[in-house]
Amino acid sequence: MHAQGANHYAIGLVTAVLTGRPSASPAPLTYAVRRSSGRPLDRSGAAGLGARVDELTAGNQCRQSALEQARARDGEPAGRLREARHDLVGALTSIRG
């Protein structure tokens, strides 16, 4: 990847992290990052970026937990159905027996 492509990729990645969504078109943030590329991030910018990363990480952990809970709930009816089928087979076997 050439330097301009790498910069474009980095700008898109930073935009996605800060906004929480991928950017199809250059946003004001993209231009600000492009203007400051090559310069170190100041402390306030670094702190803001760190806070945003923490916020996104916490949101991701909450969504992951909710997904795991939903998967567990989806598995409960299937387990009860298997148990009911087993009971039904047992009942039919004893009636025919």
Side-chain angles (χ1 to χ4, degrees):
M1 181 182 304
H2 64 299
Q4 186 177 5
N7 284 342
H8 183 69
Y9 174 77
I11 290 167
L13 183 60
V14 169
T15 301
V17 167
L18 293 176
T19 62
R21 63 186 187 285
S23 177
S25 63
L29 175 62
T30 303
Y31 294 116
V33 171
R34 190 173 290 153
R35 278 193 313 270
S36 68
S37 63
R39 284 189 271 163
L41 193 61
D42 65 4
R43 289 184 189 189
S44 64
L49 182 58
R52 180 66 177 144
V53 168
D54 290 343
E55 179 185 332
L56 292 171
T57 300
N60 188 41
Q61 289 171 342
C62 288
R63 287 179 194 89
Q64 186 67 32
S65 177
L67 176 62
E68 289 171 6
Q69 290 174 1
R71 284 182 176 160
R73 282 192 308 270
D74 287 348
E76 291 172 8
R80 288 195 306 264
L81 182 58
R82 278 191 300 275
E83 195 175 310
R85 284 181 184 158
H86 180 71
D87 291 347
L88 180 58
V89 168
L92 290 173
T93 301
S94 69
I95 291 173
R96 293 182 187 158

